[in-house]
Amino acid sequence: MSVIGNLTVGVMGSSQDEHVELAGPLGQLLADLEFNLLTGAGRGVMTSVSRAFLEARRGRGISIGVVPCASLDARRSPRAGSPNPYVELPVYTHLPLSGVDGQHDLSRNHINVLTSDVIIALPGSDGTRSEVELAVKYDRPVAVFAESAAQVAHFAGGIPRLFDIKDVEVFLADLMERHGGRLD
């Protein structure tokens, strides 16, 4: 593929399960395309996609992680396990909320979505669902990447479903083509 640019792709997904079968090829693809990668800086999908991104040979692009703080009472400390070791540029925040509170003003999810040019959501639970909903709210291009529709049935309807890495590549190429290489 010949699409090269400085697009920032936000990858959202489970903080528990790495979904390596999805996140590994996705991290490799984003590195190959020389895009920037943005995650929530934690474990699970955030770790596996960032690891694959860093392990890939790339000329441009950086792994960015938006780091939540530990709690409302410990706003100067990052959440345990954040940033993961594959984040090159950690963005520390004072924002502790996530999960079911993922759309609250004290959640970093707003920054994750608003800083990304496009969102690719992998299977996840309440926090990932809230990021998908925020992407729709903020009019960011968003697609869900999962091996089966059942893995992401709880996400908002009407969002493109991508079932293999080639689908992701085509989705990103189509976005770039429709927007002349830029999404802003």
Side-chain angles (χ1 to χ4, degrees), residues 12-51:
M12 313 305 163
S14 174
S15 63
Q16 306 300 313
D17 188 337
E18 288 198 11
H19 291 286
V20 175
E21 70 285 357
L22 300 168
L26 180 57
Q28 175 73 50
L29 174 66
L30 298 178
D32 289 348
L33 297 175
E34 298 186 346
F35 293 157
N36 297 312
L37 167 66
L38 183 138
T39 70
R43 297 180 177 142
V45 164
M46 297 169 276
T47 295
S48 60
V49 73
S50 298
R51 180 188 316 114

Side-chain angles (χ1 to χ4, degrees), residues 5-135:
N6 60 357
L7 192 75
T8 297
V9 178
V11 176
M12 313 305 163
S14 174
S15 63
Q16 306 300 313
D17 188 337
E18 288 198 11
H19 291 286
V20 175
E21 70 285 357
L22 300 168
L26 180 57
Q28 175 73 50
L29 174 66
L30 298 178
D32 289 348
L33 297 175
E34 298 186 346
F35 293 157
N36 297 312
L37 167 66
L38 183 138
T39 70
R43 297 180 177 142
V45 164
M46 297 169 276
T47 295
S48 60
V49 73
S50 298
R51 180 188 316 114
F53 182 82
L54 285 187
E55 289 175 352
R57 296 178 60 101
R58 66 191 203 281
R60 295 191 310 181
I62 188 169
S63 172
I64 305 161
V66 181
V67 183
C69 68
S71 69
L72 287 170
D73 296 325
R75 290 181 140 186
R76 292 183 183 180
S77 301
R79 182 175 295 163
S82 293
N84 70 60
Y86 306 102
V87 170
E88 295 173 295
L89 176 62
V91 178
Y92 293 92
T93 74
H94 64 292
L95 305 168
L97 300 183
S98 60
V100 295
D101 295 319
Q103 291 194 44
H104 192 283
D105 287 344
L106 291 176
S107 169
R108 77 187 186 288
N109 290 355
H110 297 272
I111 296 170
N112 292 350
V113 170
L114 289 169
T115 304
S116 300
D117 295 303
V118 60
I119 305 294
I120 305 291
L122 277 62
S125 58
D126 292 326
T128 308
R129 185 181 72 229
S130 71
E131 287 165 320
V132 168
E133 291 170 358
L134 286 171

